[in-house]
PDB file of all heavy atoms in Angstrom:
ATOM      1  N   ALA C 185    -103.735  26.581  46.452  1.00 97.00           N
ATOM      2  CA  ALA C 185    -102.805  27.693  46.261  1.00 97.00           C
ATOM      3  C   ALA C 185    -102.901  28.724  47.371  1.00 97.00           C
ATOM      4  O   ALA C 185    -102.159  29.725  47.347  1.00 97.00           O
ATOM      5  CB  ALA C 185    -103.078  28.367  44.920  1.00 97.00           C
ATOM      6  N   LEU C 186    -103.779  28.552  48.364  1.00 98.00           N
ATOM      7  CA  LEU C 186    -103.897  29.553  49.438  1.00 98.00           C
ATOM      8  C   LEU C 186    -102.530  29.726  50.122  1.00 98.00           C
ATOM      9  O   LEU C 186    -101.989  28.752  50.687  1.00 98.00           O
ATOM     10  CB  LEU C 186    -104.946  29.131  50.452  1.00 98.00           C
ATOM     11  CG  LEU C 186    -106.396  29.071  49.937  1.00 98.00           C
ATOM     12  CD1 LEU C 186    -107.324  28.516  51.025  1.00 98.00           C
ATOM     13  CD2 LEU C 186    -106.858  30.479  49.518  1.00 98.00           C
ATOM     14  N   PRO C 187    -101.986  30.941  50.161  1.00 98.00           N
ATOM     15  CA  PRO C 187    -100.633  31.136  50.641  1.00 98.00           C
ATOM     16  C   PRO C 187    -100.562  31.696  52.079  1.00 98.00           C
ATOM     17  O   PRO C 187    -101.460  32.390  52.551  1.00 98.00           O
ATOM     18  CB  PRO C 187    -100.073  32.156  49.664  1.00 98.00           C
ATOM     19  CG  PRO C 187    -101.258  33.060  49.373  1.00 98.00           C
ATOM     20  CD  PRO C 187    -102.490  32.135  49.456  1.00 98.00           C
ATOM     21  N   ALA C 188     -99.463  31.378  52.724  1.00 98.00           N
ATOM     22  CA  ALA C 188     -99.105  32.074  53.952  1.00 98.00           C
ATOM     23  C   ALA C 188     -98.701  33.504  53.602  1.00 98.00           C
ATOM     24  O   ALA C 188     -98.437  33.812  52.441  1.00 98.00           O
ATOM     25  CB  ALA C 188     -97.984  31.356  54.676  1.00 98.00           C
ATOM     26  N   GLN C 189     -98.729  34.353  54.600  1.00 98.00           N
ATOM     27  CA  GLN C 189     -98.331  35.750  54.401  1.00 98.00           C
ATOM     28  C   GLN C 189     -97.238  36.105  55.397  1.00 98.00           C
ATOM     29  O   GLN C 189     -97.404  35.916  56.611  1.00 98.00           O
ATOM     30  CB  GLN C 189     -99.508  36.700  54.617  1.00 98.00           C
ATOM     31  CG  GLN C 189     -99.230  38.187  54.611  1.00 98.00           C
ATOM     32  CD  GLN C 189     -98.955  38.730  53.230  1.00 98.00           C
ATOM     33  OE1 GLN C 189     -97.892  38.515  52.650  1.00 98.00           O
ATOM     34  NE2 GLN C 189     -99.931  39.450  52.691  1.00 98.00           N
ATOM     35  N   LEU C 190     -96.147  36.625  54.906  1.00 98.00           N
ATOM     36  CA  LEU C 190     -95.082  37.095  55.803  1.00 98.00           C
ATOM     37  C   LEU C 190     -94.253  38.102  55.036  1.00 98.00           C
ATOM     38  O   LEU C 190     -93.630  37.738  54.013  1.00 98.00           O
ATOM     39  CB  LEU C 190     -94.218  35.948  56.313  1.00 98.00           C
ATOM     40  CG  LEU C 190     -93.231  36.318  57.422  1.00 98.00           C
ATOM     41  CD1 LEU C 190     -93.982  36.751  58.677  1.00 98.00           C
ATOM     42  CD2 LEU C 190     -92.306  35.129  57.738  1.00 98.00           C
ATOM     43  N   GLY C 191     -94.230  39.341  55.483  1.00 97.00           N
ATOM     44  CA  GLY C 191     -93.452  40.365  54.811  1.00 97.00           C
ATOM     45  C   GLY C 191     -92.892  41.411  55.768  1.00 97.00           C
ATOM     46  O   GLY C 191     -92.031  42.197  55.366  1.00 97.00           O
ATOM     47  N   GLY C 192     -93.416  41.423  56.995  1.00 96.00           N
ATOM     48  CA  GLY C 192     -92.965  42.489  57.892  1.00 96.00           C
ATOM     49  C   GLY C 192     -93.653  43.795  57.560  1.00 96.00           C
ATOM     50  O   GLY C 192     -94.627  43.822  56.822  1.00 96.00           O
ATOM     51  N   ALA C 193     -93.090  44.882  58.077  1.00 95.00           N
ATOM     52  CA  ALA C 193     -93.801  46.173  58.021  1.00 95.00           C
ATOM     53  C   ALA C 193     -94.128  46.622  56.593  1.00 95.00           C
ATOM     54  O   ALA C 193     -95.208  47.163  56.350  1.00 95.00           O
ATOM     55  CB  ALA C 193     -92.914  47.198  58.690  1.00 95.00           C
ATOM     56  N   ALA C 194     -93.245  46.391  55.628  1.00 96.00           N
ATOM     57  CA  ALA C 194     -93.499  46.871  54.277  1.00 96.00           C
ATOM     58  C   ALA C 194     -93.142  45.843  53.203  1.00 96.00           C
ATOM     59  O   ALA C 194     -92.874  46.193  52.056  1.00 96.00           O
ATOM     60  CB  ALA C 194     -92.702  48.175  54.000  1.00 96.00           C
ATOM     61  N   GLY C 195     -93.171  44.569  53.590  1.00 96.00           N
ATOM     62  CA  GLY C 195     -92.963  43.507  52.619  1.00 96.00           C
ATOM     63  C   GLY C 195     -91.546  43.165  52.328  1.00 96.00           C
ATOM     64  O   GLY C 195     -91.270  42.441  51.333  1.00 96.00           O
ATOM     65  N   THR C 196     -90.584  43.683  53.082  1.00 96.00           N
ATOM     66  CA  THR C 196     -89.127  43.396  52.797  1.00 96.00           C
ATOM     67  C   THR C 196     -88.565  42.363  53.713  1.00 96.00           C
ATOM     68  O   THR C 196     -87.416  41.920  53.517  1.00 96.00           O
ATOM     69  CB  THR C 196     -88.328  44.699  52.968  1.00 96.00           C
ATOM     70  OG1 THR C 196     -88.406  45.131  54.332  1.00 96.00           O
ATOM     71  CG2 THR C 196     -88.860  45.804  52.061  1.00 96.00           C
ATOM     72  N   LEU C 197     -89.277  41.968  54.791  1.00 97.00           N
ATOM     73  CA  LEU C 197     -88.784  41.032  55.810  1.00 97.00           C
ATOM     74  C   LEU C 197     -87.565  41.570  56.520  1.00 97.00           C
ATOM     75  O   LEU C 197     -86.791  40.814  57.112  1.00 97.00           O
ATOM     76  CB  LEU C 197     -88.469  39.674  55.146  1.00 97.00           C
ATOM     77  CG  LEU C 197     -89.660  38.953  54.506  1.00 97.00           C
ATOM     78  CD1 LEU C 197     -89.240  37.976  53.469  1.00 97.00           C
ATOM     79  CD2 LEU C 197     -90.486  38.252  55.583  1.00 97.00           C
ATOM     80  N   ALA C 198     -87.366  42.890  56.504  1.00 96.00           N
ATOM     81  CA  ALA C 198     -86.156  43.529  57.042  1.00 96.00           C
ATOM     82  C   ALA C 198     -86.016  43.299  58.561  1.00 96.00           C
ATOM     83  O   ALA C 198     -84.915  43.140  59.065  1.00 96.00           O
ATOM     84  CB  ALA C 198     -86.170  45.012  56.747  1.00 96.00           C
ATOM     85  N   ALA C 199     -87.149  43.244  59.274  1.00 97.00           N
ATOM     86  CA  ALA C 199     -87.063  43.105  60.732  1.00 97.00           C
ATOM     87  C   ALA C 199     -86.366  41.810  61.127  1.00 97.00           C
ATOM     88  O   ALA C 199     -85.616  41.722  62.105  1.00 97.00           O
ATOM     89  CB  ALA C 199     -88.441  43.188  61.349  1.00 97.00           C
ATOM     90  N   PHE C 200     -86.628  40.740  60.364  1.00 96.00           N
ATOM     91  CA  PHE C 200     -86.034  39.436  60.684  1.00 96.00           C
ATOM     92  C   PHE C 200     -84.533  39.503  60.449  1.00 96.00           C
ATOM     93  O   PHE C 200     -83.768  38.875  61.230  1.00 96.00           O
ATOM     94  CB  PHE C 200     -86.682  38.358  59.830  1.00 96.00           C
ATOM     95  CG  PHE C 200     -88.187  38.241  60.025  1.00 96.00           C
ATOM     96  CD1 PHE C 200     -89.068  38.728  59.099  1.00 96.00           C
ATOM     97  CD2 PHE C 200     -88.648  37.710  61.212  1.00 96.00           C
ATOM     98  CE1 PHE C 200     -90.430  38.646  59.292  1.00 96.00           C
ATOM     99  CE2 PHE C 200     -90.059  37.623  61.423  1.00 96.00           C
ATOM    100  CZ  PHE C 200     -90.928  38.101  60.458  1.00 96.00           C
ATOM    101  N   HIS C 201     -84.129  40.209  59.396  1.00 96.00           N
ATOM    102  CA  HIS C 201     -82.668  40.394  59.195  1.00 96.00           C
ATOM    103  C   HIS C 201     -82.077  41.189  60.342  1.00 96.00           C
ATOM    104  O   HIS C 201     -80.982  40.882  60.845  1.00 96.00           O
ATOM    105  CB  HIS C 201     -82.455  41.155  57.882  1.00 96.00           C
ATOM    106  CG  HIS C 201     -82.663  40.311  56.664  1.00 96.00           C
ATOM    107  ND1 HIS C 201     -81.608  39.867  55.867  1.00 96.00           N
ATOM    108  CD2 HIS C 201     -83.801  39.863  56.076  1.00 96.00           C
ATOM    109  CE1 HIS C 201     -82.112  39.168  54.861  1.00 96.00           C
ATOM    110  NE2 HIS C 201     -83.434  39.170  54.948  1.00 96.00           N
ATOM    111  N   ALA C 202     -82.801  42.218  60.799  1.00 96.00           N
ATOM    112  CA  ALA C 202     -82.262  43.065  61.884  1.00 96.00           C
ATOM    113  C   ALA C 202     -82.109  42.304  63.176  1.00 96.00           C
ATOM    114  O   ALA C 202     -81.071  42.410  63.861  1.00 96.00           O
ATOM    115  CB  ALA C 202     -83.199  44.247  62.081  1.00 96.00           C
ATOM    116  N   TYR C 203     -83.101  41.474  63.523  1.00 96.00           N
ATOM    117  CA  TYR C 203     -82.994  40.693  64.735  1.00 96.00           C
ATOM    118  C   TYR C 203     -81.860  39.669  64.626  1.00 96.00           C
ATOM    119  O   TYR C 203     -81.092  39.433  65.584  1.00 96.00           O
ATOM    120  CB  TYR C 203     -84.320  39.960  65.021  1.00 96.00           C
ATOM    121  CG  TYR C 203     -85.352  40.835  65.690  1.00 96.00           C
ATOM    122  CD1 TYR C 203     -86.541  41.168  65.036  1.00 96.00           C
ATOM    123  CD2 TYR C 203     -85.142  41.324  66.972  1.00 96.00           C
ATOM    124  CE1 TYR C 203     -87.488  41.939  65.605  1.00 96.00           C
ATOM    125  CE2 TYR C 203     -86.107  42.122  67.572  1.00 96.00           C
ATOM    126  CZ  TYR C 203     -87.267  42.436  66.888  1.00 96.00           C
ATOM    127  OH  TYR C 203     -88.222  43.232  67.471  1.00 96.00           O
ATOM    128  N   ALA C 204     -81.734  39.039  63.456  1.00 95.00           N
ATOM    129  CA  ALA C 204     -80.672  38.059  63.267  1.00 95.00           C
ATOM    130  C   ALA C 204     -79.285  38.700  63.392  1.00 95.00           C
ATOM    131  O   ALA C 204     -78.370  38.143  64.017  1.00 95.00           O
ATOM    132  CB  ALA C 204     -80.830  37.385  61.885  1.00 95.00           C
ATOM    133  N   GLU C 205     -79.149  39.895  62.824  1.00 95.00           N
ATOM    134  CA  GLU C 205     -77.854  40.598  62.888  1.00 95.00           C
ATOM    135  C   GLU C 205     -77.548  41.032  64.303  1.00 95.00           C
ATOM    136  O   GLU C 205     -76.395  40.898  64.785  1.00 95.00           O
ATOM    137  CB  GLU C 205     -77.873  41.809  61.956  1.00 95.00           C
ATOM    138  CG  GLU C 205     -76.562  42.598  61.936  1.00 95.00           C
ATOM    139  CD  GLU C 205     -76.567  43.746  60.961  1.00 95.00           C
ATOM    140  OE1 GLU C 205     -77.627  43.968  60.315  1.00 95.00           O
ATOM    141  OE2 GLU C 205     -75.528  44.437  60.846  1.00 95.00           O
ATOM    142  N   ALA C 206     -78.559  41.515  65.024  1.00 94.00           N
ATOM    143  CA  ALA C 206     -78.364  41.967  66.389  1.00 94.00           C
ATOM    144  C   ALA C 206     -77.939  40.826  67.280  1.00 94.00           C
ATOM    145  O   ALA C 206     -77.077  41.017  68.176  1.00 94.00           O
ATOM    146  CB  ALA C 206     -79.636  42.620  66.903  1.00 94.00           C
ATOM    147  N   GLU C 207     -78.460  39.663  67.068  1.00 90.00           N
ATOM    148  CA  GLU C 207     -78.148  38.539  67.963  1.00 90.00           C
ATOM    149  C   GLU C 207     -76.883  37.824  67.573  1.00 90.00           C
ATOM    150  O   GLU C 207     -76.168  37.275  68.451  1.00 90.00           O
ATOM    151  CB  GLU C 207     -79.322  37.561  67.994  1.00 90.00           C
ATOM    152  CG  GLU C 207     -80.567  38.153  68.630  1.00 90.00           C
ATOM    153  CD  GLU C 207     -81.683  37.132  68.790  1.00 90.00           C
ATOM    154  OE1 GLU C 207     -81.541  36.008  68.302  1.00 90.00           O
ATOM    155  OE2 GLU C 207     -82.723  37.489  69.400  1.00 90.00           O
ATOM    156  N   SER C 208     -76.555  37.797  66.284  1.00 89.00           N
ATOM    157  CA  SER C 208     -75.346  37.079  65.857  1.00 89.00           C
ATOM    158  C   SER C 208     -74.122  37.963  65.689  1.00 89.00           C
ATOM    159  O   SER C 208     -72.999  37.487  65.697  1.00 89.00           O
ATOM    160  CB  SER C 208     -75.635  36.405  64.512  1.00 89.00           C
ATOM    161  OG  SER C 208     -75.783  37.367  63.455  1.00 89.00           O
ATOM    162  N   GLY C 209     -74.373  39.255  65.546  1.00 90.00           N
ATOM    163  CA  GLY C 209     -73.260  40.178  65.345  1.00 90.00           C
ATOM    164  C   GLY C 209     -72.731  40.204  63.921  1.00 90.00           C
ATOM    165  O   GLY C 209     -71.741  40.877  63.638  1.00 90.00           O
ATOM    166  N   SER C 210     -73.406  39.521  63.004  1.00 92.00           N
ATOM    167  CA  SER C 210     -72.982  39.509  61.627  1.00 92.00           C
ATOM    168  C   SER C 210     -74.188  39.650  60.706  1.00 92.00           C
ATOM    169  O   SER C 210     -75.318  39.338  61.069  1.00 92.00           O
ATOM    170  CB  SER C 210     -72.248  38.191  61.278  1.00 92.00           C
ATOM    171  OG  SER C 210     -73.105  37.079  61.491  1.00 92.00           O
ATOM    172  N   VAL C 211     -73.936  40.153  59.509  1.00 93.00           N
ATOM    173  CA  VAL C 211     -75.010  40.357  58.536  1.00 93.00           C
ATOM    174  C   VAL C 211     -75.512  39.014  58.037  1.00 93.00           C
ATOM    175  O   VAL C 211     -74.697  38.196  57.560  1.00 93.00           O
ATOM    176  CB  VAL C 211     -74.535  41.259  57.376  1.00 93.00           C
ATOM    177  CG1 VAL C 211     -75.669  41.396  56.342  1.00 93.00           C
ATOM    178  CG2 VAL C 211     -74.091  42.605  57.878  1.00 93.00           C
ATOM    179  N   PRO C 212     -76.784  38.736  58.123  1.00 92.00           N
ATOM    180  CA  PRO C 212     -77.293  37.442  57.658  1.00 92.00           C
ATOM    181  C   PRO C 212     -77.304  37.354  56.147  1.00 92.00           C
ATOM    182  O   PRO C 212     -77.164  38.359  55.434  1.00 92.00           O
ATOM    183  CB  PRO C 212     -78.733  37.403  58.216  1.00 92.00           C
ATOM    184  CG  PRO C 212     -79.116  38.836  58.351  1.00 92.00           C
ATOM    185  CD  PRO C 212     -77.849  39.562  58.720  1.00 92.00           C
ATOM    186  N   ALA C 213     -77.407  36.149  55.663  1.00 94.00           N
ATOM    187  CA  ALA C 213     -77.444  35.924  54.218  1.00 94.00           C
ATOM    188  C   ALA C 213     -78.662  36.661  53.596  1.00 94.00           C
ATOM    189  O   ALA C 213     -79.716  36.758  54.236  1.00 94.00           O
ATOM    190  CB  ALA C 213     -77.512  34.434  53.918  1.00 94.00           C
ATOM    191  N   PRO C 214     -78.528  37.125  52.363  1.00 94.00           N
ATOM    192  CA  PRO C 214     -79.632  37.864  51.751  1.00 94.00           C
ATOM    193  C   PRO C 214     -80.937  37.057  51.615  1.00 94.00           C
ATOM    194  O   PRO C 214     -82.001  37.638  51.541  1.00 94.00           O
ATOM    195  CB  PRO C 214     -79.086  38.229  50.368  1.00 94.00           C
ATOM    196  CG  PRO C 214     -77.610  38.184  50.527  1.00 94.00           C
ATOM    197  CD  PRO C 214     -77.310  37.106  51.510  1.00 94.00           C
ATOM    198  N   ASP C 215     -80.793  35.738  51.569  1.00 95.00           N
ATOM    199  CA  ASP C 215     -81.989  34.912  51.368  1.00 95.00           C
ATOM    200  C   ASP C 215     -82.644  34.485  52.680  1.00 95.00           C
ATOM    201  O   ASP C 215     -83.527  33.624  52.672  1.00 95.00           O
ATOM    202  CB  ASP C 215     -81.659  33.675  50.538  1.00 95.00           C
ATOM    203  CG  ASP C 215     -80.749  32.704  51.309  1.00 95.00           C
ATOM    204  OD1 ASP C 215     -80.146  33.126  52.341  1.00 95.00           O
ATOM    205  OD2 ASP C 215     -80.677  31.528  50.891  1.00 95.00           O
ATOM    206  N   LEU C 216     -82.247  35.131  53.791  1.00 96.00           N
ATOM    207  CA  LEU C 216     -82.817  34.754  55.079  1.00 96.00           C
ATOM    208  C   LEU C 216     -84.341  34.891  55.065  1.00 96.00           C
ATOM    209  O   LEU C 216     -85.064  33.967  55.480  1.00 96.00           O
ATOM    210  CB  LEU C 216     -82.245  35.606  56.192  1.00 96.00           C
ATOM    211  CG  LEU C 216     -82.898  35.449  57.572  1.00 96.00           C
ATOM    212  CD1 LEU C 216     -82.646  34.051  58.116  1.00 96.00           C
ATOM    213  CD2 LEU C 216     -82.416  36.499  58.541  1.00 96.00           C
ATOM    214  N   GLY C 217     -84.821  36.001  54.577  1.00 95.00           N
ATOM    215  CA  GLY C 217     -86.268  36.227  54.557  1.00 95.00           C
ATOM    216  C   GLY C 217     -87.003  35.201  53.697  1.00 95.00           C
ATOM    217  O   GLY C 217     -88.066  34.701  54.099  1.00 95.00           O
ATOM    218  N   ALA C 218     -86.438  34.878  52.549  1.00 95.00           N
ATOM    219  CA  ALA C 218     -87.064  33.883  51.697  1.00 95.00           C
ATOM    220  C   ALA C 218     -87.096  32.527  52.358  1.00 95.00           C
ATOM    221  O   ALA C 218     -88.089  31.788  52.252  1.00 95.00           O
ATOM    222  CB  ALA C 218     -86.324  33.823  50.347  1.00 95.00           C
ATOM    223  N   ARG C 219     -86.010  32.152  53.057  1.00 97.00           N
ATOM    224  CA  ARG C 219     -85.976  30.859  53.730  1.00 97.00           C
ATOM    225  C   ARG C 219     -86.976  30.838  54.882  1.00 97.00           C
ATOM    226  O   ARG C 219     -87.635  29.809  55.129  1.00 97.00           O
ATOM    227  CB  ARG C 219     -84.576  30.555  54.241  1.00 97.00           C
ATOM    228  CG  ARG C 219     -83.619  30.193  53.096  1.00 97.00           C
ATOM    229  CD  ARG C 219     -82.267  29.732  53.627  1.00 97.00           C
ATOM    230  NE  ARG C 219     -81.501  30.832  54.220  1.00 97.00           N
ATOM    231  CZ  ARG C 219     -81.131  30.856  55.504  1.00 97.00           C
ATOM    232  NH1 ARG C 219     -81.477  29.904  56.342  1.00 97.00           N
ATOM    233  NH2 ARG C 219     -80.408  31.876  55.931  1.00 97.00           N
ATOM    234  N   LEU C 220     -87.120  31.969  55.562  1.00 98.00           N
ATOM    235  CA  LEU C 220     -88.098  32.054  56.656  1.00 98.00           C
ATOM    236  C   LEU C 220     -89.519  31.944  56.104  1.00 98.00           C
ATOM    237  O   LEU C 220     -90.361  31.277  56.688  1.00 98.00           O
ATOM    238  CB  LEU C 220     -87.925  33.371  57.421  1.00 98.00           C
ATOM    239  CG  LEU C 220     -88.900  33.581  58.586  1.00 98.00           C
ATOM    240  CD1 LEU C 220     -88.789  32.474  59.617  1.00 98.00           C
ATOM    241  CD2 LEU C 220     -88.644  34.945  59.215  1.00 98.00           C
ATOM    242  N   LEU C 221     -89.758  32.573  54.965  1.00 97.00           N
ATOM    243  CA  LEU C 221     -91.069  32.520  54.359  1.00 97.00           C
ATOM    244  C   LEU C 221     -91.424  31.065  54.006  1.00 97.00           C
ATOM    245  O   LEU C 221     -92.554  30.610  54.223  1.00 97.00           O
ATOM    246  CB  LEU C 221     -91.080  33.384  53.096  1.00 97.00           C
ATOM    247  CG  LEU C 221     -92.420  33.542  52.353  1.00 97.00           C
ATOM    248  CD1 LEU C 221     -93.522  34.016  53.312  1.00 97.00           C
ATOM    249  CD2 LEU C 221     -92.263  34.508  51.173  1.00 97.00           C
ATOM    250  N   ALA C 222     -90.469  30.331  53.481  1.00 97.00           N
ATOM    251  CA  ALA C 222     -90.696  28.928  53.169  1.00 97.00           C
ATOM    252  C   ALA C 222     -90.964  28.107  54.428  1.00 97.00           C
ATOM    253  O   ALA C 222     -91.889  27.242  54.419  1.00 97.00           O
ATOM    254  CB  ALA C 222     -89.501  28.342  52.407  1.00 97.00           C
ATOM    255  N   ALA C 223     -90.199  28.361  55.474  1.00 98.00           N
ATOM    256  CA  ALA C 223     -90.404  27.630  56.727  1.00 98.00           C
ATOM    257  C   ALA C 223     -91.761  27.971  57.341  1.00 98.00           C
ATOM    258  O   ALA C 223     -92.426  27.079  57.871  1.00 98.00           O
ATOM    259  CB  ALA C 223     -89.264  27.972  57.703  1.00 98.00           C
TER     260      ALA C 223
END
Side-chain angles (χ1 to χ4, degrees):
L186 293 175
Q189 172 76 285
L190 190 63
T196 63
L197 297 157
F200 301 106
H201 286 253
Y203 280 115
E205 182 177 1
E207 292 186 355
S208 68
S210 60
V211 177
D215 68 343
L216 172 66
R219 287 187 290 118
L220 179 59
L221 185 54

